[in-house]
Amino acid sequence: MRYPILALFCLITIGVFAQSNNALPEVTVSDLKATKCSLDSSANAAILYNAGNLYFWEHNDRFEYVLAKTTRIKVYNKEGYQYAKFNLLLSYNGLDSEKLIEFKATSYTLENGKIVKKSVGKKSLLVEDVNKGLTNVKLAFPNIQEGSIVEYTYKVTSPFVMHLTSWYFQYDIPVLKSRLKFTSCPFYNYVYLVNRGNLNFSTDTSYSLSHGFKAGEQTFKTTVYEWELDSIPAFVAEPYMTTPDDYLLKVDFQLQSYYYISGEKFEVLTTWKQMIDELLPSYNAFIKSDKKEIKSILKNINIEDTSTIEKAKTIWRYVNSNFYYNHFNGGQVNQQIKGLVKSKTGNAAEINLFLISLLREAGIKANPLLLSTRSHGKLYYQYPLLSRFNYLTVLVHDSIGDYYLDATNPFLPFGLLPQKCINGYGLEIKWVKKNDDVKFYPLTPTISDRTKIQTFIRLDKQSDSLTTKLLCKYSGYEALNYRKMFVQNKQEPFFNEVIQNGMMSLKEMKIENLNKPEKDLTVKMNISQPAERAGNKILVSPLLYNPYTENVLKLKNRNYPIDFGFLSDEHFNVNIALPQGYQVDYTPPDTSFFACDSTLSFKLITQTSKAYIQMLFVIKRSKLKYEPISYQALKQFYEEVVALCNKKIIISAHL
Amino acid sequence: MFKLTDKEWKDLKSQNAVSSWGGRKKIPNVCIKLPDYLKANKSIPVLLTLFFLLTSFSAFSQYQKESQIVNYEINCVVNSNKTLLVNITKLLKIESSKDRSYAIQRIYYNEMSPITYISASVLDKNKKRVRKIKKKEITDYSTITEYLYSDSRYKEIRAFSENYPYYIELKYRKEFQEFLSFPTWLPQERNISCIYSTYSLTIPEGYKIHYRFYNFKPSETVTTNKDGTTTYVWNTGNLFPVNTAELFSPPLRKVVPYGRIIPDSFVFDDKRGYMNRWSDLGNWISELIEGLDKLPEEEINKIKKLTDSSHSEKEKVKILYKYLQNNTRYIGIFEGTGGLKPYDANYVCNSKYGDCKALTNYMKALLKAADIKSFYCVINAGDKNPPIDTGFVANQFNHAVLMVLPSLTDTIWLECTSQEIPFAYLGTFTRGKYALVCNYKNSFLTKTPEGQCNNTPLTLTAFATINNDSLLFNTTRLIKGKEFEYINHFIKTKDSSKLIKAFYNMLPYANFTVTEVAYQTKPDCTGSLIEQSAIAVKNHLQHFNNTIIIKPFFKLLPLNHTLEANRENPVFISKNISNTDSITYLIPGNYQVDFVPKDTLLTSPFGRYKQSYIVSDSTLVEIKKFSLYKNSYPKDNYPDFRKFLNEIYKLESQNILFKKP
């Protein structure tokens, strides 16, 4: 996949106003009669045409952008009725708002061989204020039946030229034809990012219009870009992936620079360095906004006479357990330290900058690290775009090495980033000397999800039951998830999840290190279950805790990378005491195999003595992300792991 | 396939769960979804508090005992102009940082019940005010729903502090111009302890109220004031969380304390109504919907044409129901009086969509055009909302259905929100439930019929063959109830990929693949299907020393769980369950049966289980029968009940061995 970059430069000349016209062919009887989508016979609905015209106009003494869009959707069956709805989110802030200036919705239905057309206009729209900043405009199409076609045409104006709307070629239903015409504005320069996947544009042209743009009495030369993509399959999200937005076929626009009428030019898209320079003052202002408070907090938490790392730990723990993350991200601060200390609530940037302020005051080198979370999508290194970031965390430089800190989750162990941050690279925000480069840091989990489980199984002949002692140790994100569960008193789901075979009763359960995220979460369990018998044989499942009861990779083929977001390292130690008078009939053979350049490994060793069967399973994955080409190997690997983890040991009484 | 499905097991466990495996949009009665219940009636003040009640119900699984509601006061005053003013004060103790989520408080409202005052403060452990929450810290949200439109919103307050324990003091006021009921009293919202709660209501002279308290008995004082008004005060306290996460425990709605208080008469949408007899409420609804069943002339002619040729009235109903199903769809729109008053038939006729009320009213209009009498009914549907109290006249309904009388002896019930269900089929949502038949002064409360095949036992027959490590099954089984509704939806919408997915969702097992699945209707049993499928179960068999170990795949009790050592709840079996599995294994050539479990019969007061085996030269037939009886037992019987289930599980889990001689 390539992402062509193109800067759109415009020259000033005389011209006429750009026209918006998305005329589609007439709806025919045969269109309405169609019962299956030619592109995908299983589709419940499909977008037959999606045509957009994106241009600028002068409005309220400024330039706004306009999107004129026409979408025609075919509903094949009742399951597709949900697509016979219109839904549009409009943004607003205190000063400006996006406006829906034209709207028309039409449904076409076949009745007794004749096309019945029903149209409704803007008056039928329902408007709902979602919350600060968003309005939802909705409509359900009237008169829908299986086979109906619906079409809506609207025109939206927006003053938010910084974030020009993206054009999506792909949706969760097939799209037969999608085209966008973009008429540039001589005063705004955009770069655009195109993701066309493996498809080829049927139209991909640009041409200049000498009178394309009108401002006041003058007209200017503009450039027009046209893209058309046909037969676009429905997007199907797959497990273990970052946001679909990373993979959907679309065009994104980013403002690069703009001109004032006076001719003065402002750069928006500059260099990473310049971006940092612009950010630094506001961050520094926050960090230094309340020295007195910072000093008094440090005094209270008492970190005198400890090593740098101990100091960092104490400060981080203080912030993490006393400040509530309001689940808003972004790199902006909306309050200063004073407000944060009062409300105890802040967004990630505020809480983490507050942490930096305390760390720095304690003499520890700490800087903001900007990143894009997994659900926000990937970063394009070639484009220094602030909007691509949505999260601020902390990078600490210590003599023992660099590490990350994040104070938004009290269950995080020291030095581990929240899992949502494991997404490519983060940019350090610090002043960079003229000839130095900005620094990106890889966002990897500093620790694997290490799971160690020791199992001791004993047969109680009297009650004909198996007694199992389990000692489970968890670290990393898995420990974090379990901690969250335990804190809410949800032990039973853990038990259900962890143990899936047999009729068991939990005799004892002990959780250790629940509130010590730096340590392994330890769960001790005593479980008893009836022995599984078949004639004179007893069958024992060695993995009472078995995360591999089935292969999580179920898809036949994979289109997108498999992005796990965590590393895993599992050791299962099993010790089965052989009752007197019993012999071993079957144990699985010793096995060892690797896959995907040894980033995946499995090992099973069994040792049998007179009194014991000992088994060791080691399953490791040392890579975060696999390309689709590795999918079959990956799937096969787990297929074999599942088979081996579910084999039972068979013992029988001596005859 | 198995009768007590994983899902049913879980349903049984929670008892109040609405089937969620259908995907939220896929269940025939679209009104089944919890929010719909609220929205469908949302303009009635009581339901706003019911929203509380209901959200609390669903949030109850994570109960905890430390943080508590220290004081919860609800103060209602009916002014002389009959408007209602509600003042609420709540003092909440947050014990430690792990209870931080309780520091987020939401107050729901809509256009009919605006919040006119709100204040929140953080108090320290000595209840001294530390901080007042600022106006701009209180955020306002729309309750984003899947409905097309709803004006329901909430205000969110986040009151955090770093010093535990601490208190949150919340005060707010709501005003109602029109109301059918006073706010429901739910002292233990979000299932946390309530140390003290008081509900007071002041009414003008001559104003009458009715009230009832469920699952608790508050103390009561009634005072007549100097100005002629009367004040009722009810108090309660020391209420502790209920743990209904235990298996087979009664649903929360049957154990959690709540109170209903309603006016004897009310004015809503300019119409006066009374709550003395069910017929009063029915009469009021009849008047509310009066005249909404007018259709355009063109539509009436169309209806006449459609039905003219059929002679039987029932046939006509059938034709018109089909017409409704083919031409309309369910879409929820809730605003203003739309919460209680349906959009008129003309609106549905034009748009071809509506919510449960609008579609029911439209169907009524269609029948009227064909000169067939039918009655609009409101119904207490589903099992998530508080159960109906037939002795207490109040709007306890959350859905609408239509009762049709094609002849003197025949009664047909129609669910109008589903395009897929069979004619005259009442789903699990509405069958056996109380409905108020609205026919002016002759309105009455009645119970809808149980399903036609309610007592048919579920059966599964399967033929199993061995293929290396895999087991291949050809199965035939009967499905009905929620499973039928779930599957039927995808059959009718012709979405084959979702149908396969639905099939997978219903099997509580791992590592199997479906190679084929087909459904047939069962003519003698509306609302059921015969399913035939071919399944391959990977890695299911283990070979060693010329022996094959076959572990059972289909299980009547598919899920294992912990024994609850300190059982808190009685044993509650919400419905009769009766299943039969018969599985025929084809013995591979040159193998013979080495071991089969013994034939066993287990009987107990709770139910019955029987398993038996028949061995022939080439086949081994396993037959399992399991029944549980609808009943409830005191907590002391729990160990016996568990023993019974454990024994079944153990019997069912036995392996079969085939061996080469």
Side-chain angles (χ1 to χ4, degrees):
Chain A
M1 245 178 263
R2 287 179 57 223
Y3 301 95
I5 173 170
L6 195 73
L8 318 174
F9 292 106
C10 317
L11 294 169
I12 300 166
T13 47
I14 311 289
V16 289
F17 188 68
Q19 285 300 305
S20 67
N21 191 1
N22 291 323
L24 300 186
E26 285 284 312
V27 171
T28 65
V29 172
S30 71
D31 287 343
L32 289 167
K33 275 188 176 163
T35 56
K36 289 245 147 69
C37 173
S38 58
L39 190 60
D40 174 0
S41 62
S42 71
N44 299 320
I47 296 176
L48 302 180
Y49 290 95
N50 208 4
N53 198 343
L54 192 57
Y55 58 93
F56 294 82
W57 70 0
E58 193 188 356
H59 188 64
N60 297 337
D61 293 328
R62 63 179 174 188
F63 301 114
E64 294 187 336
Y65 80 80
V66 181
L67 175 68
K69 190 179 174 190
T70 302
T71 303
R72 181 180 290 175
I73 302 166
K74 164 89 182 176
V75 175
Y76 292 102
N77 58 35
K78 284 177 177 162
E79 199 57 28
Y81 279 14
Q82 53 180 306
Y83 295 96
K85 284 181 190 168
F86 170 77
N87 196 354
L88 182 69
L89 286 170
L90 298 173
S91 310
Y92 66 86
N93 61 24
L95 303 164
D96 287 321
S97 64
E98 294 181 336
K99 285 192 179 74
L100 186 68
I101 53 168
E102 277 174 29
F103 179 82
K104 193 183 165 192
T106 309
S107 67
Y108 299 87
T109 300
L110 209 55
E111 277 174 32
N112 304 322
K114 276 192 192 128
I115 299 176
V116 176
K117 197 171 153 184
K118 276 199 178 174
S119 292
V120 291
K122 229 172 127 180
K123 270 192 286 181
S124 308
L125 286 168
L126 297 160
V127 182
E128 181 184 68
D129 192 7
V130 180
N131 61 3
K132 286 175 200 157
L134 279 182
T135 306
N136 199 356
V137 182
K138 302 191 245 187
L139 175 98
F141 281 87
N143 202 27
I144 298 307
Q145 300 201 357
E146 288 188 342
S148 287
I149 287 175
V150 298
E151 186 175 300
Y152 56 81
T153 299
Y154 68 81
K155 209 181 258 188
V156 169
T157 65
S158 172
F160 306 121
V161 290
M162 272 292 279
H163 307 287
L164 212 57
T165 181
S166 297
W167 180 261
Y168 285 89
F169 294 112
Q170 197 173 28
Y171 288 83
D172 59 345
I173 48 175
V175 180
L176 296 183
K177 215 173 232 326
S178 178
R179 65 164 188 257
L180 176 68
K181 181 175 169 188
F182 173 66
T183 309
S184 65
C185 166
F187 302 98
Y188 299 125
N189 297 328
Y190 288 88
V191 281
Y192 61 85
L193 295 134
V194 176
N195 179 6
R196 56 172 173 81
N198 305 320
L199 302 176
N200 288 319
F201 284 116
S202 48
T203 308
D204 182 7
T205 60
S206 64
Y207 49 90
S208 40
L209 275 181
S210 50
H211 313 290
F213 190 82
K214 192 177 163 200
E217 295 305 306
Q218 281 188 304
T219 54
F220 302 89
K221 180 182 171 183
T222 58
T223 310
V224 179
Y225 299 84
E226 283 184 26
W227 295 279
E228 185 178 302
L229 206 55
D230 299 337
S231 305
I232 306 141
F235 178 81
V236 183
E238 297 173 346
Y240 300 112
M241 73 190 295
T242 51
T243 171
D245 224 44
D246 279 351
Y247 304 104
L248 280 166
L249 308 185
K250 61 174 174 171
V251 189
D252 288 326
F253 297 90
Q254 169 65 38
L255 187 63
Q256 186 183 41
S257 61
Y258 58 92
Y259 295 92
Y260 271 133
I261 293 278
S262 62
E264 209 178 339
K265 186 181 177 186
F266 285 83
E267 296 287 346
V268 176
L269 185 67
T270 51
T271 61
W272 291 114
K273 235 182 234 178
Q274 208 166 325
M275 195 184 101
I276 291 173
D277 286 345
E278 280 161 25
L279 276 172
L280 266 176
S282 79
Y283 288 168
N284 284 337
F286 180 93
I287 290 166
K288 291 174 189 157
S289 65
D290 199 339
K291 277 272 172 205
K292 220 173 113 193
E293 184 71 50
I294 294 289
K295 281 203 171 109
S296 108
I297 289 170
L298 277 185
K299 213 170 152 190
N300 281 337
I301 54 178
N302 189 22
I303 44 159
E304 298 295 315
D305 308 324
T306 51
S307 66
T308 323
I309 193 141
E310 283 308 315
K311 275 181 191 163
K313 265 187 197 173
T314 312
I315 294 170
W316 166 78
R317 205 172 294 132
Y318 164 77
V319 180
N320 209 357
S321 52
N322 287 309
F323 288 80
Y324 198 91
Y325 165 48
N326 61 15
H327 294 273
F328 286 111
N329 296 331
Q332 282 170 327
V333 293
N334 301 321
Q335 56 182 348
Q336 296 301 313
I337 286 177
K338 210 172 171 187
L340 178 69
V341 168
K342 233 177 171 185
S343 68
K344 306 286 175 223
T345 311
N347 66 26
E350 291 156 4
I351 289 175
N352 285 328
L353 284 169
F354 174 61
L355 174 64
I356 291 172
S357 181
L358 287 166
L359 290 169
R360 285 190 185 168
E361 187 62 32
I364 300 162
K365 267 194 218 163
N367 288 322
L369 187 77
L370 275 184
L371 58 90
S372 170
T373 59
R374 290 171 72 84
S375 60
H376 187 254
K378 62 184 153 204
L379 212 62
Y380 298 96
Y381 305 106
Q382 55 279 50
Y383 308 124
L385 302 179
L386 191 56
S387 63
R388 295 307 310 173
F389 294 109
N390 74 325
Y391 196 84
L392 187 151
T393 189
V394 184
L395 174 69
V396 179
H397 297 289
D398 192 5
S399 52
I400 57 156
D402 299 342
Y403 55 88
Y404 303 121
L405 282 184
D406 194 284
T408 60
N409 185 336
F411 301 113
L412 274 176
F414 184 77
L416 189 67
L417 285 173
Q419 194 171 10
K420 64 187 171 201
C421 298
I422 306 304
N423 190 26
Y425 288 82
L427 174 68
E428 185 181 22
I429 308 298
K430 70 161 190 192
W431 187 76
V432 185
K433 275 187 218 146
K434 215 174 179 184
N435 296 318
D436 286 356
D437 276 335
V438 297
K439 268 193 181 154
F440 282 97
Y441 288 80
L443 302 165
T444 48
T446 38
I447 45 175
S448 299
D449 279 19
R450 246 180 308 108
T451 304
K452 278 195 177 165
I453 296 176
Q454 283 179 292
T455 313
F456 301 92
I457 304 173
R458 198 168 50 82
L459 176 78
D460 181 3
K461 272 199 258 182
Q462 226 169 16
S463 61
D464 197 30
S465 63
L466 291 179
T467 324
T468 306
K469 272 188 190 169
L470 278 172
L471 175 64
C472 313
K473 288 187 171 185
Y474 301 100
S475 68
Y477 298 117
E478 194 168 25
L480 191 145
N481 294 336
Y482 285 139
R483 281 192 166 100
K484 264 190 207 164
M485 235 151 78
F486 289 145
V487 160
Q488 294 169 336
N489 289 327
K490 284 197 240 176
Q491 265 104 6
E492 202 191 315
F494 170 82
F495 186 76
N496 282 342
E497 189 186 321
V498 166
I499 290 142
Q500 299 181 334
N501 53 1
M503 185 63 150
M504 302 169 194
S505 53
L506 181 63
K507 298 287 180 204
E508 203 192 334
M509 183 162 174
K510 233 167 112 183
I511 301 159
E512 287 169 12
N513 299 331
L514 180 58
N515 294 313
K516 292 177 191 150
E518 314 85 86
K519 291 194 173 168
D520 286 353
L521 176 73
T522 307
V523 183
K524 288 178 182 168
M525 286 186 283
N526 255 341
I527 291 157
S528 139
Q529 62 176 325
E532 191 181 338
R533 285 186 174 275
N536 67 341
K537 297 180 173 58
I538 298 176
L539 282 64
V540 183
S541 306
L543 297 181
L544 197 61
Y545 165 93
N546 188 357
Y548 296 102
T549 48
E550 65 176 323
N551 195 347
V552 290
L553 303 174
K554 290 195 174 73
L555 294 175
K556 235 180 213 155
N557 297 303
R558 179 95 186 184
N559 295 314
Y560 307 106
I562 307 97
D563 190 341
F564 287 99
F566 63 95
L567 302 169
S568 94
D569 181 357
E570 293 161 304
H571 291 249
F572 308 136
N573 237 312
V574 186
N575 201 314
I576 304 166
L578 218 48
Q580 250 190 348
Y582 277 80
Q583 67 184 32
V584 179
D585 281 355
Y586 175 82
T587 54
D590 287 0
T591 319
S592 166
F593 54 88
F594 301 88
C596 301
D597 298 326
S598 302
T599 55
L600 294 162
S601 69
F602 177 88
K603 196 159 71 180
L604 167 62
I605 304 165
T606 310
Q607 274 186 339
T608 311
S609 69
K610 262 194 180 152
Y612 285 101
I613 304 168
Q614 284 180 308
M615 301 174 85
L616 174 66
F617 296 80
V618 183
I619 309 156
K620 282 188 193 176
R621 182 174 46 74
S622 59
K623 201 173 155 185
L624 283 173
K625 189 173 168 181
Y626 294 86
E627 291 306 314
I629 195 160
S630 308
Y631 181 68
Q632 295 307 336
L634 199 66
K635 190 180 171 185
Q636 184 55 32
F637 174 82
Y638 283 111
E639 203 69 51
E640 286 170 39
V641 171
V642 167
L644 284 158
C645 288
N646 287 292
K647 286 256 185 287
K648 285 182 180 174
I649 309 276
I650 298 159
I651 59 175
S652 62
H654 289 297
L655 292 175
Chain B
M1 232 127 252
F2 43 87
K3 306 326 163 348
L4 197 60
T5 61
D6 182 5
K7 183 58 206 166
E8 276 178 299
W9 181 265
K10 281 180 194 157
D11 274 1
L12 278 171
K13 178 173 149 177
S14 62
Q15 298 280 353
N16 61 357
V18 166
S19 156
S20 57
W21 37 249
R24 285 166 310 144
K25 287 185 195 129
K26 316 302 175 214
I27 305 163
N29 334 69
V30 195
C31 281
I32 201 165
K33 291 159 296 180
L34 175 63
D36 191 70
Y37 160 62
L38 303 158
K39 302 298 154 40
N41 298 273
K42 74 170 188 50
S43 57
I44 315 162
V46 60
L47 288 146
L48 289 167
T49 9
L50 272 181
F51 187 85
F52 247 11
L53 188 67
L54 288 158
T55 42
S56 313
F57 277 157
S58 41
F60 267 26
S61 53
Q62 26 172 310
Y63 80 114
Q64 60 87 38
K65 288 175 175 162
E66 288 168 1
S67 291
Q68 46 189 225
I69 297 166
V70 181
N71 186 18
Y72 190 4
E73 290 174 27
I74 301 165
N75 186 297
C76 305
V77 178
V78 181
N79 296 315
S80 49
N81 62 359
K82 304 295 182 315
T83 58
L84 170 65
L85 196 67
V86 180
N87 277 298
I88 292 174
T89 306
K90 193 158 68 180
L91 187 65
L92 193 76
K93 185 183 182 189
I94 307 290
E95 194 63 42
S96 65
S97 63
K98 70 175 195 178
D99 295 339
R100 289 204 287 198
S101 65
Y102 291 97
I104 303 172
Q105 292 280 321
R106 287 178 180 180
I107 304 167
Y108 292 86
Y109 71 99
N110 66 7
E111 283 161 16
M112 305 285 288
S113 62
I115 298 173
T116 52
Y117 169 79
I118 185 164
S119 122
S121 300
V122 174
L123 315 182
D124 68 9
K125 63 179 175 203
N126 302 317
K127 298 186 190 167
K128 250 180 78 185
R129 179 172 296 156
V130 184
R131 191 169 83 83
K132 199 167 176 323
I133 305 290
K134 287 196 202 91
K135 271 257 150 56
K136 67 168 194 191
E137 287 177 75
I138 300 171
T139 39
D140 186 272
Y141 297 95
S142 149
T143 56
I144 300 165
T145 62
E146 59 198 89
Y147 304 102
L148 188 65
Y149 184 74
S150 144
D151 64 359
S152 173
R153 305 182 69 80
Y154 63 88
K155 294 204 182 277
E156 188 174 281
I157 294 148
R158 294 163 169 260
F160 298 112
S161 170
E162 67 186 289
N163 303 311
Y164 296 97
Y166 72 96
Y167 294 85
I168 298 167
E169 189 186 53
L170 192 64
K171 289 181 178 178
Y172 60 92
R173 184 184 304 140
K174 280 183 178 183
E175 285 182 26
F176 302 95
Q177 296 302 317
E178 293 186 317
F179 56 98
L180 281 194
S181 153
F182 298 101
T184 300
W185 187 15
L186 181 78
Q188 268 179 289
E189 53 148 48
R190 289 165 86 179
N191 204 18
I192 62 174
S193 303
C194 174
I195 302 308
Y196 183 76
S197 179
T198 175
Y199 193 112
S200 75
L201 171 60
T202 302
I203 50 175
E205 207 172 348
Y207 195 94
K208 267 169 53 184
I209 58 163
H210 304 284
Y211 53 93
R212 252 188 210 187
F213 302 106
Y214 302 87
N215 308 319
F216 77 130
K217 285 196 184 82
S219 67
E220 176 181 288
T221 49
V222 186
T223 343
T224 311
N225 305 314
K226 276 180 193 156
D227 58 358
T229 59
T230 305
T231 303
Y232 289 79
V233 179
W234 296 283
N235 291 310
T236 189
N238 295 323
L239 301 170
F240 299 103
V242 199
N243 175 12
T244 47
E246 289 178 340
L247 291 164
F248 290 97
S249 48
L252 204 55
R253 64 201 181 89
K254 292 206 169 170
V255 289
V256 75
Y258 65 98
R260 287 182 174 133
I261 302 129
I262 55 153
D264 179 66
S265 88
F266 58 90
V267 177
F268 196 88
D269 195 38
D270 291 333
K271 285 181 186 70
R272 175 160 294 274
Y274 296 90
M275 301 260 204
N276 278 320
R277 288 164 306 219
W278 285 112
S279 58
D280 296 337
L281 185 59
N283 183 43
W284 181 76
I285 295 172
S286 305
E287 284 176 8
L288 188 73
I289 63 168
E290 191 171 271
L292 299 179
D293 56 358
K294 287 199 185 82
L295 288 172
E297 202 60 37
E298 192 191 343
E299 181 85 351
I300 293 174
N301 293 336
K302 203 166 168 186
I303 299 306
K304 289 220 149 76
K305 229 171 160 181
L306 269 172
T307 50
D308 264 358
S309 53
S310 52
H311 297 290
S312 126
E313 298 286 291
K314 192 169 181 172
E315 195 57 40
K316 286 182 184 173
V317 182
K318 214 170 175 174
I319 290 167
L320 291 177
Y321 187 67
K322 182 122 199 117
Y323 178 79
L324 172 89
Q325 286 191 314
N326 283 343
N327 289 289
T328 61
R329 56 177 172 150
Y330 172 86
I331 280 178
I333 305 176
F334 307 97
E335 60 176 328
T337 43
L340 196 62
K341 192 173 177 174
Y343 278 82
D344 64 20
N346 199 21
Y347 177 89
V348 178
C349 187
N350 269 316
S351 62
K352 300 281 190 270
Y353 61 72
D355 65 2
C356 60
K357 298 178 298 296
L359 291 171
T360 304
N361 177 61
Y362 174 65
M363 184 67 210
K364 181 171 171 265
L366 293 181
L367 290 168
K368 191 182 165 195
D371 298 319
I372 298 167
K373 189 101 184 137
S374 68
F375 301 98
Y376 181 89
C377 308
V378 286
I379 185 167
N380 178 296
D383 45 16
K384 215 157 187 189
N385 49 306
I388 194 156
D389 177 354
T390 54
F392 187 72
V393 179
N395 188 358
Q396 304 179 39
F397 310 99
N398 60 351
H399 186 54
V401 290
L402 196 67
M403 190 179 91
V404 194
L405 303 174
S407 69
L408 279 173
T409 52
D410 203 5
T411 308
I412 298 170
W413 292 86
L414 295 179
E415 161 67 58
C416 303
T417 61
S418 165
Q419 296 112 28
E420 301 100 29
I421 57 168
F423 173 66
Y425 173 80
L426 277 188
T428 46
F429 188 52
T430 46
R431 68 170 70 141
K433 299 286 191 315
Y434 278 94
L436 178 60
V437 182
C438 300
N439 182 20
Y440 295 95
K441 300 259 185 228
N442 299 320
S443 300
F444 60 94
L445 193 68
T446 187
K447 202 173 187 180
T448 57
E450 294 287 347
Q452 196 186 339
C453 292
N454 219 33
N455 295 317
T456 320
L458 292 167
T459 51
L460 160 82
T461 24
F463 288 88
T465 45
I466 285 160
N467 181 9
N468 296 325
D469 282 352
S470 300
L471 205 50
L472 310 178
F473 287 104
N474 279 305
T475 62
T476 307
R477 67 168 186 146
L478 179 75
I479 58 170
K480 57 179 195 175
K482 282 181 183 168
E483 257 187 293
F484 161 77
E485 287 158 18
Y486 182 36
I487 290 293
N488 184 54
H489 175 85
F490 298 112
I491 294 173
K492 288 290 156 69
T493 56
K494 300 171 199 142
D495 190 330
S496 52
S497 65
K498 283 202 183 131
L499 184 64
I500 292 281
K501 263 190 208 150
F503 181 88
Y504 274 103
N505 282 348
M506 286 194 305
L507 284 175
Y509 313 112
N511 286 323
F512 71 93
T513 44
V514 182
T515 45
E516 226 179 291
V517 60
Y519 293 90
Q520 283 174 317
T521 50
K522 200 166 177 287
D524 58 321
C525 191
T526 314
S528 70
L529 285 170
I530 296 164
E531 175 190 82
Q532 288 183 300
S533 63
I535 299 168
V537 191
K538 275 183 290 180
N539 297 324
H540 198 72
L541 306 170
Q542 200 166 323
H543 296 261
F544 79 101
N545 302 347
N546 294 328
T547 309
I548 309 172
I549 303 176
I550 303 164
K551 38 182 179 182
F553 179 69
F554 294 111
K555 284 185 176 177
L556 298 164
L557 292 180
L559 209 71
N560 68 79
H561 52 84
T562 11
L563 177 85
E564 289 134 1
N566 305 306
R567 175 83 178 189
E568 290 176 24
N569 286 293
V571 175
F572 185 86
I573 302 168
S574 68
K575 58 177 178 185
N576 283 321
I577 289 165
S578 172
N579 310 305
T580 307
D581 276 11
S582 90
I583 295 148
T584 307
Y585 293 93
L586 301 177
I587 303 167
N590 62 42
Y591 275 85
Q592 61 191 43
V593 174
D594 187 43
F595 173 79
V596 283
K598 280 197 205 96
D599 290 1
T600 316
L601 170 68
L602 277 183
T603 52
S604 89
F606 311 103
R608 190 174 183 274
Y609 177 77
K610 193 183 168 199
Q611 88 182 16
S612 54
Y613 297 85
I614 305 155
V615 184
S616 73
D617 283 352
S618 57
T619 61
L620 165 67
V621 183
E622 178 188 47
I623 298 162
K624 299 190 284 186
K625 282 186 181 174
F626 172 55
S627 337
L628 266 187
Y629 313 133
K630 179 178 170 174
N631 210 337
S632 86
Y633 304 91
K635 176 168 104 170
D636 295 347
N637 293 64
Y638 174 72
D640 289 340
F641 177 63
R642 279 315 309 254
K643 220 175 124 193
F644 174 61
L645 292 186
N646 286 11
E647 202 55 43
I648 296 171
Y649 189 89
K650 198 172 166 182
L651 285 168
E652 257 204 305
S653 305
Q654 295 175 96
N655 297 299
I656 295 165
L657 301 187
F658 289 164
K659 194 169 183 172
K660 262 187 215 164

